[in-house]
Amino acid sequence: MRVVIGYGLAVICSYLTGAVLISQGNISRITDLGFEITLTQRLDSAGHDIMNMYSIYLPLIAIALLIAFVVAAQVIRHLPHLRLIGYILAGFVGMIAIHVVLKQVVGISGIAPARTLAGLFAQGVAGALGGYCFYWITQQVGSDQAER
């Protein structure tokens, strides 16, 4: 049950972080043009993106992290001492894969900030946080299995 809860919370963590980073990446482009953006406007923008990107972005994150965590689990089975870094890297790569695959398959970058290296890296960081969340919530499962 911890694995299911950990996965769900990892997806939510990655989604929330990714949506906020997208929002702030878009605002960064606006401030580059010389416009001033208040903290309230930044928070409103982040809230808007969180509330309106879930129908498309959340399922993509769920699929990407499911694949990434399954692959990581297979590696970790043989190298259990790499559990922490394995899930963090899986989340990082999974989130970046969303954008790279969409660009290669569909020919579009649906999220403007992810068109830059910094924006793509930021999305990877959102996935890495989700990977850490999964590791943290499921670490008791790992220690229970080691005792058996």
Side-chain angles (χ1 to χ4, degrees):
M1 190 62 167
R2 274 190 198 201
V3 172
V4 173
I5 292 169
Y7 167 73
L9 291 176
V11 169
I12 291 168
C13 176
S14 294
Y15 171 73
L16 292 174
T17 306
V20 168
L21 290 171
I22 289 166
S23 175
Q24 299 314 302
N26 287 330
I27 287 175
S28 174
R29 296 292 180 152
I30 294 168
T31 59
D32 288 347
L33 296 172
F35 292 96
E36 290 188 28
I37 305 294
T38 66
L39 179 59
T40 301
Q41 290 169 319
R42 286 180 180 274
L43 294 174
D44 287 346
S45 177
H48 178 270
D49 284 350
I50 288 168
M51 297 305 294
N52 290 290
M53 294 179 67
Y54 70 89
S55 64
I56 295 173
Y57 201 44
L58 187 61
L60 289 174
I61 291 171
I63 292 166
L65 291 185
L66 179 63
I67 294 167
F69 291 165
V70 167
V71 171
Q74 296 305 311
V75 173
I76 292 165
R77 176 179 293 156
H78 300 290
L79 302 166
H81 62 284
L82 296 178
R83 191 170 183 279
L84 171 62
I85 192 72
Y87 285 120
I88 290 173
L89 283 175
F92 184 87
V93 170
M95 286 291 283
I96 289 179
I98 291 171
H99 304 287
V100 172
V101 169
L102 279 176
K103 179 65 176 170
Q104 295 300 313
V105 173
V106 185
I108 61 166
S109 294
I111 297 176
R115 293 178 193 146
T116 67
L117 188 57
L120 189 59
F121 182 79
Q123 291 302 295
V125 169
L129 288 173
Y132 180 76
C133 179
F134 182 80
Y135 162 81
W136 185 70
I137 290 169
T138 61
Q139 72 183 9
Q140 185 61 42
V141 171
S143 63
D144 285 348
Q145 289 174 352
E147 291 174 3
R148 290 182 188 164

